[in-house]
């Protein structure tokens, strides 16, 4: 296994970590015509409990 020979400087470590960026969560409209609330894609709607036109969880 490769092991670094010298300790990486603080400035090099911080400049490398400065590229770690997060993005805002993507939201899509619920496919239920009565609901249409924003929800994460590929997940059941937390408001109405439907996914792909089927009731999968109890409504909140």
């Amino acid at each position: 296994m490769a092991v670094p020979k010298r300790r990486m400087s603080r400035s090099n470590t911080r400049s490398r970590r400065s590229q770690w960026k997060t993005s805002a969560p993507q939201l899509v409209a619920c496919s239920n015509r009565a609901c249409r609330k924003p929800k994460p894609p590929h997940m059941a709607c937390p408001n109405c409990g439907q996914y792909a036109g089927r009731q999968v969880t109890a409504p909140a």
Side-chain angles (χ1 to χ4, degrees):
M1 188 169 135
V3 178
K5 199 162 227 174
R6 298 268 181 239
R7 180 179 176 178
M8 185 175 270
S9 70
R10 184 178 293 166
S11 65
N12 281 349
T13 301
R14 288 180 177 168
S15 67
R16 186 183 70 248
R17 288 181 182 161
S18 71
Q19 302 305 315
W20 293 4
K21 294 180 176 68
T22 60
S23 59
Q26 297 291 325
L27 295 176
V28 296
C30 177
S31 60
N32 181 6
R33 290 185 180 176
C35 178
R36 291 292 183 198
K37 298 271 172 111
K39 69 171 190 71
H42 307 288
M43 293 186 71
C45 179
N47 188 47
C48 66
Q50 287 195 4
Y51 180 74
R54 299 187 325 250
Q55 189 71 32
V56 292
T57 60

